[in-house]
Each structure stands twice: as C-alpha cells, then as structure tokens.
C-alpha cells in the first residue's frame, strides 16, 4: 500500500482521466496495462454528520479498489458500468484520505478479453459525492439510480409504473408521503399523485402507478420527454429526497418480415456505432463532448445508435433520449470467453448492472450481450468452446429477458451464416445482428443483400439488424480510381453509397449501423494511420469525411446539396477534374470560377461532372439548385497546382507504387499517384510494377515507425529499371523514400540519379523509413536508374523533387 504522506511521484490530474491518452499511439508495441493509484484528501463539513454519504463512480477501467483512511471499503470489477460506494466511516471535521487503486491489466476473468479497441485505464468518467438525508431513495448495489420507471402505452393512454426502495437510516419509523409529479415539455404539471408511506427503519419497498390520457409519444422525429419527479416528504412539506428523470412514452416491435415499427408506424433504423474515445484524450472525455458526438450523429440524419462494444457514459444516454436516437446497448463480451466460474459471474453481473443502470432511458430498446463470438473458429476444431458459448448465451439471454421484459435482446455475429445458424446461436436472442463487410474484408458490395436474403430464408422468424458495416478511409487519401483497401475517401464513399441504397431496399431488415461514426483508437491496427481504425464517417477529431455527407443527403428531409471532395484541397492543374455532388434535389447547376458549366439532372442522389483541365491557381466550384422558393448553394475551393517543371512547378512528390493521391496536411505537399512514363506524362516509371495495397500482402497494413506519412511508405514500386522526371536544365534536390515491406533489410539498393550513385543507409530494421537526398545539376530530365537485377532490390516508395533557386 502507498503511504498517503509519500508525495513523491504523485501528479495532479483532472477527472475524467486516463493514463493511456497517448501511449497507444506511439511507435512502441503495446500500451500501459497495469496499476494506477488515485489519491484525494478532503475535509468534511459538520453538517455531514446528518447525512448518508455515498461516492458514485460512473466508470473506472477496469478493477477499482477503494480505500478510506487506509482501509479497503469496496471493490468493483468491470470498466464500463457505474458503482456506488457508501462512505460509512468518514472522520467528521477531520481530514479523510481516499485512495483508489485502479488496474487495467488483462484478466482472463473480466470482459472484454479481446477487441479492436483500446482498453484505456483510469477513472475516466465522472465521480459524484452524494449527500443524502438519513431517509432517502436507495442506491442499489447494482449501481442503478434510485427509482425504476417503466412507461407503457395502452390504448393510447400512458401508464408509468414506478418502483424502488427507500432506506431509513434514522432510528425511528415514520409516516411519510411519496409524491409523484409529471410535467410536460413546457413545465406544465400533468400528473400529481400522493401516496402514504409507513417507513420502517431499514429498507422499504414502494411502487406507484401513474396514468396519463393520450401522452405525446417519444420518437426520433419528436423526442418528446416528460419529467417525472418523485419526492419523499412529511406532512409539513419537508423534503427528504427527490429524484427526477425524463420519461418518454413509446411502443415498438421488430417484425421478421417487415422490419421495425415505432408507435405503430414502420421506421427503418439507420445510424452508426461509436467508441467513446477522442484524439489525444483517450476515453477521458467530458459530458459536453459526449453530447456533441451524439448531436453529430443526429445531424447526419440518423435515428439509431449502437453503443459498441460496452455501456457508455450516462451522458450519452441522456443525449440519445433528448435528441431522439434509438439505442442498442451491450456488455463488452467480444470474441471470446473463459470457461471459469469467475468469468461467467462477472459477465452476468455486468449484464445485470447494465440493465438496471440504464433501464429508465426511453431511447434504449435493445440489450445485447455478445459480439462476433465465432470469428476465426472452426466447428470441428473448436466445438467445445463453441458450445460453451452457446450455453452461456442462453443464460445471458434469459437474464436479460427476465430482468427487463419490456425490451428485445440481440447478438451481433460476423458474416458466417452457417456457423451461427447450425450451432443454434441465432435461435437464442430475439433479434439477430450481423456485422457485414462486403466491399471491405469481402469483395463486392452486392454480397450484402445476397447474404441478408440467405439469412432471412434460413432464419425467417428472426428480426435482423446489420449491427456493423464499414470501410476504412484516411481523409488525406483520395483517388480517381478507388480500390478496396486503398483507404481513399472515395472508396469509402462508393461503399456507403451502395450500402445505404441496399439497406433502404431490403424490406425485412429492421435497421443498420455504420461501423463507425468516428475513427477510433485500436493499438494493434496498422491501417493508413497506425493505431487508429479509420472506418469513421468522421476523423478521430470529428472532421467529416465525404461519406458523412452522403448520409446527410440520403437521410435529410430538408433540401440538401453538397459538393464532395473535402480531401481535395490541392489537385494537379494538368488533369481533368472530377466533381461529385450529393443532393436530394432533382437538378444541379455547376459553376467553376463563376463560369457556368451546365445544369444536370440528378440520379439516385448523385450528379457528377468531369471538368476540362484548368490553369494553376484557385478553382472555386459553386453548385446550386432550386428548392421551392430557396436557392440551395454549396461551394468548394481547390488549389490547382502544376506538376510539370516546364510549366513552373517547383516541387513534384510521387507516391511510388500507389494509385492514390496523398495530401500531407502538415506540410501541404500533395503526393501524386504513380504512373508509367510517356513523354506526355512528364514523369513515370519504366519497367516497374506496383504493389497495390494489400493485394500481395504488401501495403497499408504496416506501421512504418517514425513517420506520419505512412501511406507514402506503405506502397512501393518494385522491379524498376528507370524512373524519369522531365525538367528543364537546373539544380534540383532529389529525395528518395524507402521502406522494406517484404523483408527486413535494406542492403543492396544501388541507385543512380543522373549517373551519380545515391548514398542509402543500410539497415536491417523492418518497416523503417529511409530517406536518401541528393542535389544535382541536370541539363535536361532526371533519370533515376535501378541497376540491380532483382526485383527485391529495385524499388522505391516515394520520390520528391524540388527545384533549387
Ligand atoms: C468488427 C468488430 C469491430 C471492429 C470492426 C473492424 O466486426 O466488431 O470491433 O472494429 O469489425 O473494423 O474490423
């Protein structure tokens, strides 16, 4: 144990806090998973002697042990649910010392065991000190807030069942009242009911039923909330405790053949998943931030949110209630289980905690409790584990149904119909969820509808939700010829365009959630931004990629028009210019630098142009369309730059071996896609072969250490004979970028620039960036020669030429 007086090495921190804010993103493998200690000393007020004092932790990852004045008083297991710690032995009017030991080490008995996200350690959610009277609503040991609220709609009337317990820590029994009031959105009281309570010393159960005629119903279009206030008073009007919570009346059902219905009307659920982290902050983000995230989802036009892969901050659910987002929430049982008593008990407890703690939120309609449990498993080899999982799913499902008969249960599976169906896992929950990546991990967008049709035919009695679908995109990457795994925003856009159309056209599908609303941290991932899963519709710091606008356009019921190409900040002046516009209007007129281009009719929400090449300089695109009396306008500015030294370029950067543009937002350099040399092309390779990302196991799946511009180093052109760049006579700086992608050393690279050998550092470090710089004078053209006979030793990853003086 630490001694409180030992102040060495203590740092002052702000709650919410995590100690893994930055280390998952450095170039070292792994991030700190272990112990952390928090200490707080405080004095109490003499008035506190009259109070019952409880600490409420909203989330500590993942095991928290609480010590008061050097004595252990509580331990909580699990990083994603709240817990209440009674402070019974506070020293009044003296200093008290609170120590909290937090451990985020891997523990085979605590979920999540695995997962494509970071398990940031620390006290990363709010902590409250609750000062209650000796008579108060009971904070349950499942961490739930005091009063359980069950709204119902029966024959258009609203019913509210209230229940809970009252703790009496005074020494005497009392006759008191429970007063329940319901006020509408405008503060008008619509119910006021008073009940007599005979309170004994200790615990007292209570329940109450409230009725309201024709309540306004809660829905994503009109998230109408009433406020319910429940008060414990005596006959003189002294208030002992009160509890206020929003109430939303809604009824719903999931139909296996015709999808989801809310308040009697069909409503397709369309939305996204989200992790609770943010660039450079880890998971320690505040409530305003949570609210803003959910608002971004709402503004996308969504009505649906999956809190993958764990219960999230109470502020998130408050936001969903207010904004009108329908929620499915789950415990972090991701990919694996441990067959141990402790594991089963911890997971069951977490499920109970989740349901009790979030029960009152009208936005939540579904409880889920597993994710992709059979990924990478084989029915023959892993059957023991598979059936342990099936048995455990039955247990969890029955807990969920018994604890909350008012909602549905669900298990999201990965896209292997056979294994989930034949083992009976799909029979267990009320809804089957599918995580489908057609057009990303699997080829071909159309596989999505085909899979779902097959699944529906096989499991006709189960409602279905696509719980995940998505494609990776780094907003620094764009392409006129996007391909799978190039991480271009254009592939992501194509992917989502196809998927949103398919989703809308599958009648039995209840809904779908994009994976993911935001890029998020996942230490072991080596995508275009290592350590980050890039499947967000927005970046890690919440900047929209084009695909976000596609959803806005498809889902908005207001006139909408947006020029895509957010990432095209710079573009070559000697190329034709593609322009894509998404809109829900019927025709669009395009202007380029005030010159009318044309008016075109919109097909399926999209209209495109290919503009003739334009001179270097600013290109201002302006699109407009008429909607009723309004003119809907959008503008987008691109800087056209020359990439020809004969036309005045002072720099050309080539992303060798790649089909995409890479815009380095820190230096403003636009790396061009590679091309074969022709005299018209101005630059290009002779005798080279490109490695398209991931096609041959080489490409954007490696973290190139010590660089931000991984996508430049993650592709290469191999088997080169020469690389030619046309230029007039003059002095040039030639920078060559290398990184071994398929073996570990750079030893034999012999490269000549205009016949002068280039000095290249020899290294046996894998995925290590090497830059070789040579300044030359040339009478005309730069010719880079690769004299080696082997393909392995004739490669380059990037070429940057700068004209000197
Ligand atoms: C999944 C997982 C999710 C991953 C995602 C991905 O199916 O459920 O946790 O992050 O795929 O991006 O691969």
């Amino acid at each position: 144990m630490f001694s409180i007086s030992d102040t060495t090495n203590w740092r002052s921190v702000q709650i919410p806090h995590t100690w893994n804010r930055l280390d998952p993103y450095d170039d070292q493998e792994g991030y700190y998973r272990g112990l952390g200690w928090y200490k707080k000393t405080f004095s109490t007020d003499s008035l506190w002697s009259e109070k019952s004092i409880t600490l409420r932790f909203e989330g500590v990852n993942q095991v928290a042990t609480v010590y008061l004045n050097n004595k252990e008083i509580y331990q909580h297991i699990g990083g994603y649910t709240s817990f209440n710690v009674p402070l019974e032995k506070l020293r009044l009017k003296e200093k008290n010392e609170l120590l909290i030991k937090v451990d985020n080490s891997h523990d085979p008995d605590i979920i999540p065991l695995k997962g494509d996200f970071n398990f940031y350690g620390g006290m990363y959610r709010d902590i409250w000190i609750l000062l209650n009277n000796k008579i108060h609503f009971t904070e349950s040991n499942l961490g739930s807030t005091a009063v359980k609220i069950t709204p119902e709609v029966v024959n258009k009337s609203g019913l509210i069942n209230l229940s809970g317990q009252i703790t009496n820590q005074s020494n005497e029994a009392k006759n008191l009242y429970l007063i329940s009031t319901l006020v509408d959105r405008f503060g008008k009281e619509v119910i006021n009911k008073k009940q007599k309570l005979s309170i004994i010393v200790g615990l007292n159960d209570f329940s109450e039923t409230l009725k309201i005629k024709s309540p306004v119903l809660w829905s994503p279009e009109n998230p109408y909330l009433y406020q319910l206030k429940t008060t414990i008073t005596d006959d003189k009007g002294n208030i002992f405790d009160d509890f206020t919570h929003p109430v939303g009346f809604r009824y719903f059902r999931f139909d296996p053949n015709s999808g989801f219905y809310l308040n009697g009307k069909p409503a397709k659920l369309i939305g996204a998943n989200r992790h609770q982290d943010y660039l450079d902050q880890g998971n320690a983000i505040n409530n305003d931030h949570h609210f803003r995230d959910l608002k971004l989802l709402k503004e996308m036009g969504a009505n649906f949110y999956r809190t993958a892969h764990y219960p999230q901050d109470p502020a998130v659910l408050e936001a969903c209630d207010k904004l009108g987002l329908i929620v499915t929430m789950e415990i972090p049982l991701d990919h694996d289980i441990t067959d141990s008593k402790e594991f089963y008990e911890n997971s069951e407890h977490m499920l109970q905690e989740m349901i009790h703690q979030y029960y009152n939120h009208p936005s939540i309609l579904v409880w889920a409790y597993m994710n992709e449990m059979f990924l990478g498993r084989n029915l023959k080899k892993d059957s023991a584990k598979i059936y342990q999982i099936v048995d455990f799913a039955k247990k969890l499902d029955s807990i969920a149904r018994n604890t909350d008969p008012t909602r549905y249960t669900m298990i999201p599976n990965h896209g292997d119909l056979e294994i989930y169906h034949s083992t009976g896992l799909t029979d267990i929950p009320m809804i089957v969820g599918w995580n489908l990546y057609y057009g990303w991990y699997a080829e071909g967008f159309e596989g999505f509808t085909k899979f779902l049709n097959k699944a529906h035919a096989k499991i006709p009695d189960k409602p279905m939700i696509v719980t995940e679908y998505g494609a990776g995109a780094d907003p620094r990457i764009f392409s006129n010829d996007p391909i799978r795994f190039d991480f271009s925003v254009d592939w992501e856009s194509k992917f989502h365009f196809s998927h949103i159309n398919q989703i809308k056209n599958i009648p039995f599908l209840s809904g779908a959630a994009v994976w993911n609303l935001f890029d998020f941290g996942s230490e072991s991932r080596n995508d275009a931004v290592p350590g980050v899963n890039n499947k967000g519709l927005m970046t890690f710091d919440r900047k929209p990629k084009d695909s976000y606008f596609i959803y806005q356009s498809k889902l908005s019921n207001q006139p909408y028009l947006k020029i895509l190409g957010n990432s095209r900040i710079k573009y070559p002046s000697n190329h034709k210019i593609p322009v894509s516009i998404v809109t829900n209007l019927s025709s669009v007129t395009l202007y380029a630098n005030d010159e009318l281009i044309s008016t075109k009719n919109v097909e399926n929400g999209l209209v495109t142009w290919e503009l003739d090449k334009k001179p270097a300089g600013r290109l201002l695109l302006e699109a407009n369309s008429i909607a009723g009396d309004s003119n809907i306008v959008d503008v987008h500015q691109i800087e056209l730059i020359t990439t020809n030294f004969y036309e005045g370029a002072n720099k050309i950067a080539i992303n060798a071996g790649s089909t995409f543009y890479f815009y380095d937002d820190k230096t403003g350099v636009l790396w061009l896609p590679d091309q074969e040399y022709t005299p018209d092309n101005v630059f290009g390779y002779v005798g080279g072969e490109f490695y398209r990302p991931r096609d041959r196991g080489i490409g954007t799946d490696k973290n190139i250490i010590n660089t931000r511009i991984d996508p430049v180093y993650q592709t290469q052109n191999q088997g080169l004979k020469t690389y030619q760049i046309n230029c007039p006579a003059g002095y040039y700086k030639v920078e060559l970028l290398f990184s071994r992608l398929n073996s570990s050393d750079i030893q034999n690279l012999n490269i000549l620039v205009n016949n002068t050998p280039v000095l290249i550092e020899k290294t046996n470090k894998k995925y290590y960036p090497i830059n070789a710089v040579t300044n030359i004078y040339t009478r005309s053209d730069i010719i880079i020669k690769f004299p080696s006979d082997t393909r392995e030793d004739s490669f380059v990853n990037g070429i940057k030429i700068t004209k000197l003086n």
Side-chain angles (χ1 to χ4, degrees):
M1 269 284 283
F2 281 105
S3 150
I4 293 291
S5 52
D6 175 9
T7 52
T8 44
N9 295 327
W10 287 95
R11 277 194 303 127
S12 164
V13 298
Q14 290 268 2
I15 304 296
H17 172 263
T18 172
W19 55 72
N20 297 120
R21 199 167 70 80
L22 300 173
D23 65 343
Y25 307 97
D26 59 24
D27 279 323
Q28 311 296 320
E29 214 169 287
Y31 54 95
Y32 179 73
R33 295 192 69 183
L35 286 186
W37 290 82
Y38 294 87
K39 177 174 76 167
K40 174 97 184 156
T41 53
F42 60 100
S43 309
T44 59
D45 194 289
S46 56
L47 289 176
W48 287 24
S49 62
E50 302 299 312
K51 301 285 178 193
S52 154
I53 300 160
T54 304
L55 276 182
R56 179 169 177 78
F57 294 80
E58 288 187 350
V60 179
N61 205 19
Q62 70 175 354
V63 178
T65 314
V66 183
Y67 304 83
L68 179 66
N69 300 325
N70 269 319
K71 257 191 108 180
E72 180 178 331
I73 55 166
Y74 202 90
Q75 185 171 66
H76 181 260
I77 293 175
Y80 304 93
T81 40
S82 306
F83 54 99
N84 298 319
V85 181
L87 295 185
E88 281 154 4
K89 298 249 159 60
L90 269 186
R91 292 184 195 137
L92 291 171
K93 290 191 279 180
E94 277 180 53
K95 269 214 166 136
N96 285 277
E97 297 157 338
L98 203 57
L99 257 186
I100 297 135
K101 180 171 80 174
V102 181
D103 192 350
N104 73 331
S105 311
H106 175 75
D107 183 329
D109 291 327
I110 304 175
I111 52 173
L113 300 180
K114 290 184 180 168
D116 180 23
F117 56 104
N118 293 332
F119 310 139
Y120 306 97
M123 303 209 305
Y124 72 96
R125 290 187 190 160
D126 291 334
I127 298 168
W128 301 85
I129 184 148
L130 310 176
L131 298 181
N132 279 317
N133 290 311
K134 294 283 181 189
I135 295 178
H136 61 270
F137 289 119
T138 313
E139 306 288 335
S140 89
N141 55 7
L142 286 165
S144 61
T145 43
V147 181
K148 185 172 169 191
I149 305 169
T150 313
E152 246 188 293
V153 182
V154 182
N155 296 333
K156 296 205 171 150
S157 289
L159 280 184
I160 304 175
N161 289 307
L162 287 182
S163 59
Q165 286 190 321
I166 295 169
T167 302
N168 179 1
Q169 289 169 324
S170 76
N171 300 327
E172 46 176 350
K174 267 209 159 91
N175 287 329
L176 297 175
Y177 295 95
L178 184 78
I179 299 178
S180 307
T181 57
L182 191 73
V183 297
D184 69 12
R185 186 183 263 178
F186 308 103
K188 189 174 146 233
E189 199 170 280
V190 289
I191 298 179
N192 187 327
K193 206 170 168 191
K194 196 168 177 182
Q195 183 190 142
K196 263 195 185 155
L197 297 172
S198 302
I199 298 289
I200 57 167
V201 174
L203 284 181
N204 300 264
D205 290 337
F206 71 86
S207 64
E208 176 66 286
T209 308
L210 309 174
K211 255 195 196 155
I212 167 175
K213 250 199 192 165
S214 314
V216 182
L217 300 184
W218 181 95
S219 69
E221 298 75 44
N222 183 19
Y224 195 101
L225 292 174
Y226 292 84
Q227 295 295 327
L228 176 72
K229 187 167 179 184
T230 319
T231 314
I232 308 169
T233 62
D234 62 13
D235 51 6
K236 296 191 195 79
N238 295 314
I239 294 175
F240 289 79
D241 199 1
D242 61 21
F243 176 81
T244 305
H245 203 282
V247 173
F249 292 95
R250 77 282 184 266
Y251 58 98
F252 54 95
R253 82 188 157 90
F254 289 87
D255 184 286
N257 294 310
S258 52
F260 176 67
Y261 292 79
L262 183 69
N263 303 331
K265 288 191 219 116
K268 182 132 302 176
L269 298 173
I270 298 183
N273 292 265
R274 159 195 178 262
H275 273 296
Q276 60 183 8
D277 59 353
Y278 187 89
L279 180 72
D280 292 345
Q281 292 183 23
N283 58 353
I285 63 178
N286 65 33
N287 291 348
D288 290 344
H289 197 140
H290 285 298
F291 187 83
R292 199 189 62 180
D293 278 2
L294 275 300
K295 195 151 171 279
L296 290 170
L297 180 60
K298 183 73 185 180
E299 285 167 359
M300 186 180 104
N303 58 8
F304 184 41
Y305 177 49
R306 174 175 176 230
T307 71
H309 288 300
Y310 38 76
Q312 298 193 349
D313 197 291
V316 168
L317 281 302
E318 278 162 32
C320 292
D321 292 346
K322 265 193 204 146
L323 294 166
L325 288 162
I326 288 169
V327 177
T328 165
M329 187 186 266
E330 64 202 42
I331 54 167
L333 214 176
D334 198 3
H335 289 110
D336 207 0
I337 63 166
T338 304
D339 184 28
S340 75
K341 184 168 164 279
E342 289 74 17
F343 178 90
Y344 293 133
E345 280 175 6
N346 286 338
S347 309
E348 286 166 27
H349 188 74
M350 224 180 275
L351 180 62
Q352 293 273 13
E353 283 183 319
M354 172 176 84
I355 298 177
H356 279 89
Q357 293 176 18
Y358 297 89
Y359 183 89
N360 289 348
H361 289 283
S363 53
I364 299 181
L365 303 192
V366 181
W367 302 118
Y369 48 81
M370 282 183 173
N371 183 55
E372 298 192 340
M373 297 308 286
F374 299 155
L375 186 76
R377 293 192 203 284
N378 173 302
L379 205 44
K380 280 199 188 116
K381 279 202 302 212
D382 308 313
S383 79
K385 179 75 137 217
I386 286 175
Y387 287 103
Q388 278 161 9
I389 292 171
V390 171
D391 286 346
F392 193 42
K394 286 182 188 153
K395 180 89 193 279
L396 293 177
D397 201 79
S398 83
I399 291 177
R401 290 193 201 204
N402 290 333
T403 314
D404 184 358
T406 70
R407 292 180 168 101
Y408 281 71
T409 62
M410 178 170 77
I411 303 182
N413 305 316
H414 82 281
D416 179 343
L417 179 57
E418 203 41 50
I419 193 165
Y420 291 99
H421 179 246
S422 64
T423 51
L425 196 76
T426 50
D427 295 337
I428 300 168
M430 296 157 91
I431 301 170
V432 176
W434 295 110
N435 299 345
L436 302 178
Y437 287 89
Y438 289 97
W440 192 247
Y441 298 125
E443 258 176 276
F445 300 147
E446 58 305 327
F448 181 86
T449 299
K450 281 190 198 147
F451 177 95
L452 289 166
N453 282 337
K454 259 199 214 154
H456 183 52
K458 244 193 173 140
I459 325 167
D461 55 339
K462 288 282 164 173
M464 286 183 197
I465 291 179
V466 172
T467 30
E468 293 179 21
Y469 65 101
D474 176 343
R476 298 171 301 174
I477 295 176
F478 60 91
S479 174
N480 295 338
D481 180 21
I483 51 171
R484 193 159 70 104
F485 292 137
D486 65 3
F487 286 88
S488 71
V489 288
D490 304 277
W491 182 259
E492 194 192 37
S493 294
K494 261 182 125 160
F495 176 101
H496 285 292
F497 224 95
S498 163
H499 277 75
I500 181 71
N501 289 335
Q502 293 186 64
I503 288 160
K504 286 188 160 182
N505 286 330
I506 304 174
F508 60 84
L509 185 64
S510 290
V514 174
W515 189 263
N516 195 289
L517 180 57
F518 307 118
D519 290 350
F520 60 91
S522 178
E523 205 267 347
S524 57
R525 239 175 211 279
N526 294 319
D527 292 347
V529 183
V532 173
N533 185 317
N534 276 134
K535 294 192 191 71
L537 302 177
M538 290 194 175
T539 58
F540 210 174
D541 56 351
R542 291 20 177 182
K543 297 199 181 74
K545 303 178 194 171
D546 280 351
S547 45
Y548 181 83
F549 301 125
I550 292 172
Y551 282 92
Q552 280 197 317
S553 173
K554 287 278 176 185
L555 301 175
S556 174
N557 46 21
Q558 301 296 316
Y560 186 90
L561 177 150
K562 180 83 193 164
I563 305 173
L564 299 184
N566 233 2
S567 297
R568 292 172 194 247
I569 292 162
K570 286 190 181 169
Y571 194 72
S573 57
N574 52 350
H575 281 32
K576 291 196 164 187
I577 304 156
V579 178
S580 297
I581 292 170
V582 283
T583 178
N584 52 12
L585 302 167
S586 56
S587 72
V588 176
T589 305
L590 181 70
Y591 298 83
N593 287 345
D594 290 334
E595 175 203 337
L596 171 68
I597 303 297
S598 62
T599 299
K600 283 193 177 183
N601 288 333
V602 178
E603 267 175 54
N604 193 19
L606 180 71
V607 56
T608 61
W609 277 265
E610 190 173 58
L611 306 185
D612 286 338
K613 54 189 179 184
K614 305 249 175 262
R618 188 188 77 143
L619 172 67
L620 186 69
L621 298 171
E622 183 187 320
N624 70 38
S625 184
I626 305 294
D629 294 340
S630 343
N631 193 10
I632 310 295
V633 182
D634 190 37
V635 291
H636 178 58
Q637 186 172 309
I638 307 175
E639 186 187 341
L640 296 177
I641 54 165
T642 167
T643 55
N644 182 345
F645 285 116
Y646 282 102
E647 289 172 5
N650 56 22
K651 184 177 280 143
I652 302 184
I654 303 152
N655 191 0
S658 103
T659 49
F660 55 80
Y661 292 85
F662 175 81
Y663 179 66
D664 182 350
D665 52 350
K666 295 284 185 294
T667 59
V669 173
L670 179 68
W671 293 81
L672 305 168
D674 207 349
Q675 57 189 5
E676 194 159 9
Y677 180 78
T678 64
D680 286 348
N681 261 355
V682 193
F683 70 83
Y685 58 87
V686 182
E689 215 182 297
F690 280 28
Y691 281 83
R692 285 179 174 250
R694 290 200 188 190
D695 272 6
R696 302 169 205 217
I698 299 177
T700 44
D701 59 351
K702 297 289 177 285
N703 176 10
I704 312 299
I705 59 158
N706 277 338
T707 183
R708 278 180 308 99
I709 58 168
D710 295 73
V712 175
Y713 290 99
Q714 284 168 332
T715 58
Q716 62 185 211
N717 196 333
Q718 288 193 348
L720 287 161
K721 291 289 168 230
T722 49
Y723 209 103
Q724 178 157 352
I725 298 104
N726 293 355
C727 59
Y731 288 95
Y732 293 87
K733 175 167 150 191
V734 179
E735 288 172 74
L736 302 178
L737 279 59
F738 306 95
S739 185
R740 269 285 195 218
L741 299 177
N742 55 346
S743 76
S744 52
D745 36 303
I746 293 193
Q747 300 293 350
N748 306 316
L749 280 181
N750 297 313
I751 294 175
L752 307 170
V753 173
N754 286 12
N755 290 325
T756 309
V758 180
L759 198 63
I760 300 168
E761 184 194 337
K762 294 189 189 313
T763 175
N764 55 10
K765 285 190 204 149
K766 229 179 183 179
Y767 318 131
Y768 181 77
I770 307 275
N771 288 12
V773 184
T774 322
N775 287 345
I776 56 156
Y777 176 81
T778 184
R779 274 177 227 282
S780 94
D781 296 350
I782 296 170
I783 311 279
I784 307 170
K785 286 213 164 115
F786 298 77
S788 170
D789 286 338
T790 67
R791 183 146 65 78
E792 291 276 279
D793 292 320
S794 320
F795 74 90
V796 69
N797 299 50
I799 301 172
K800 188 158 93 186
I801 317 269
T802 312
K803 191 162 187 348
L804 301 173
N805 57 56

